Amino acid sequence: MTDDDSELRAQLRSADPARRLPALGPEGLNREMEQLMSNTTHTAPAGADTDNARPRIPRWMPLAGVAAALAIAAAIVAPLALGGTEPSVEALAPPTGGDVASGGCLALEPATIAAQEQAFAATVIAVEGDTVTLDVTETLAGEVADRVTVTQVDATSSDFSGVPFVEGNDYLVGALNGAMTGCGVTGEDTPELRALYDAAFAG
Amino acid sequence: MGTVTDTAREHRMRELVALVGEPVRRYLHRRTDAATADDVFGDVLLVCWRRLDDVPAEPENAVPWAFVVARQCLQNAQRAERRRGRLVGRIIAIDPPPAAAAPLGAEDPDDDPRAAAVTTALTRLRADDAEVLRLWAWEELESPQIAVVLDISANAAAIRLHRAKARLKAELEKSAPPPGHVRHEEGRTTND
């Protein structure tokens, strides 16, 4: 790094909002770890189902309530400070259907889903003509706007690997290079598809 | 759950928390208010626990990997918050609440003017440029690790970082007082 760079870095560090944030330290991190373990005891990771413990209220539940209250307070203040919270919108191109030329869709596997640059769960809030507007509820991979518009799947000309979007229904959507992926990657948010997405992103 | 026992898994998780816990906590505190940061920190640890098998073995890669998880958890939290904001936004005119606590460092009484100039310059940059600079200076990442966090090639990260530094310098020069400015010293006004 050049001296010039060192100076710039030092200058930036002087504006670091966390420069006076006290470290949690080993004890604090240990506490976080204990809390995590108490929340996840008997809960095996990524899809396994070995949770035979009786249902219990996690210790963080009251904290979650407080956090939610704070978040709501922040949400009330934010529009005042920011002058409105218009959702961001991005458009995705329709599936390219490349797989059809090579003889149809391959069996859907978590690896195919894991390869998606963008993956998200969303609810269809409007279908106007050919344009479908999805309200994104959960980002599973990549950067995704608050709302995504796509072209309605045309059953007569498409490769039949897509699903027509129905207003009010929930979908899982994968995209590569700004185009929605067909071949079963994008589909209704069923337990089966959700299991594949969970396996792919395990988040 | 395969070959790894619960205890071994827990041990690995403890090592991961020791490695990424503090950097992730700071990453979050730099990008949101303290309450949200603490809340999302718990989410990040939970995702790390679930995805423990995906964590890169090399420590220098584990930290950027954890930042990616943190970014996604924060995005989801902020998305939920915006959703609530849109819902609740209509009632604010009826009953405006008292202002919430400012995010850490937002208004620090003993901020030096240099920091204020940097903060202002950062807001004038494109969001992409500002984030690259934050990752470089605050998270202390070099371009290959920045590439992991931003999901771009190492080459693209190096170019983006180089450009962002140049743009920040230009912004800082713009805001710096010109060489022949009028200075006030102990009540006297001098021209230099």
Side-chain angles (χ1 to χ4, degrees):
Chain A
M1 193 172 9
T2 65
D3 285 350
D4 212 18
D5 271 3
S6 308
E7 167 61 24
L8 192 66
R9 211 173 198 173
Q11 218 167 335
L12 274 162
R13 278 181 192 155
S14 71
D16 178 359
R19 70 192 178 286
R20 293 201 187 87
L21 179 69
L24 273 185
E27 269 182 35
L29 288 173
N30 215 22
R31 240 186 350 261
E32 292 287 341
M33 186 67 199
E34 296 307 328
Q35 194 168 329
L36 177 72
M37 288 298 116
S38 73
N39 291 340
T40 56
T41 313
H42 303 299
T43 306
D49 185 17
T50 60
D51 192 352
N52 52 9
R54 67 193 162 80
R56 60 208 173 98
I57 297 169
R59 262 193 244 161
W60 47 265
M61 272 303 195
L63 283 176
V66 172
L70 284 168
I72 290 169
I76 294 169
V77 175
L80 285 173
L82 302 171
T85 53
E86 277 301 299
S88 60
V89 181
E90 73 175 285
L92 285 179
T96 52
D99 290 310
V100 174
S102 59
C105 295
L106 299 169
L108 190 56
E109 289 176 3
T112 314
I113 292 170
Q116 300 302 307
E117 289 161 0
Q118 291 171 298
F120 55 93
T123 307
V124 173
I125 53 169
V127 181
E128 287 159 352
D130 278 351
T131 308
V132 180
T133 306
L134 294 149
D135 191 37
V136 179
T137 50
E138 197 182 347
T139 307
L140 300 161
E143 305 277 346
V144 184
D146 294 337
R147 288 188 183 162
V148 172
T149 56
V150 295
T151 309
Q152 178 65 294
V153 176
D154 180 352
T156 55
S157 65
S158 80
D159 58 9
F160 296 99
S161 69
V163 283
F165 289 101
V166 178
E167 195 168 335
N169 286 7
D170 297 326
Y171 294 85
L172 288 165
V173 182
L176 282 169
N177 296 321
M180 196 168 70
T181 312
C183 275
V185 170
T186 296
E188 277 217 60
D189 192 350
T190 59
E192 293 76 28
L193 191 58
R194 177 58 81 157
L196 285 168
Y197 272 73
D198 280 349
F201 302 113
Chain B
M1 69 174 200
T3 53
V4 187
T5 65
D6 276 353
T7 321
R9 214 180 149 77
E10 200 177 314
H11 181 71
R12 266 174 59 204
M13 184 64 195
R14 279 185 194 281
E15 285 181 341
L16 182 69
V17 169
L19 178 69
V20 308
E22 202 63 53
V24 164
R25 195 170 147 262
R26 284 176 185 276
Y27 175 95
L28 293 169
H29 275 268
R30 285 166 180 142
R31 286 161 181 81
T32 188
D33 61 279
T36 310
D38 289 340
D39 202 27
V40 174
F41 184 55
D43 297 345
V44 176
L45 293 184
L46 192 60
V47 174
C48 286
W49 169 248
R50 285 184 185 152
R51 297 183 56 186
L52 202 53
D53 297 332
D54 298 338
V55 180
E58 314 78 20
E60 67 271 24
N61 295 336
V63 174
W65 181 90
F67 286 155
V68 175
V69 173
R71 192 189 60 200
Q72 284 175 353
C73 288
L74 186 58
Q75 271 176 355
N76 284 337
Q78 288 172 334
R79 197 189 302 286
E81 195 171 300
R82 283 199 295 276
R83 193 183 303 281
R84 280 192 296 271
R86 288 199 290 275
L87 200 67
V88 178
R90 289 169 199 154
I91 63 168
I92 55 172
I94 303 165
D95 186 18
L104 191 77
E107 278 183 36
D108 214 327
D110 49 10
D111 260 350
D112 65 60
R114 194 172 74 146
V118 173
T119 306
T120 312
L122 277 177
T123 60
R124 288 209 199 101
L125 294 180
R126 283 178 39 197
D128 285 2
D129 286 340
E131 183 59 9
V132 165
L133 291 168
R134 285 188 208 106
L135 291 170
W136 173 65
W138 295 352
E139 267 74 40
E140 303 183 24
L141 302 185
E142 297 301 335
S143 47
Q145 298 168 305
I146 291 174
V148 174
V149 180
L150 299 181
D151 196 21
I152 55 179
S153 72
N155 201 24
I159 294 168
R160 204 181 277 187
L161 177 60
H162 181 76
R163 283 186 189 155
K165 283 180 197 167
R167 285 175 185 147
L168 178 64
K169 280 180 201 162
E171 279 298 337
L172 289 171
E173 275 163 24
K174 253 193 257 174
S175 61
H181 75 295
V182 178
R183 238 183 13 204
H184 298 274
E185 279 178 358
E186 294 172 14
R188 286 180 308 142
T189 304
T190 53
N191 256 321
D192 51 6

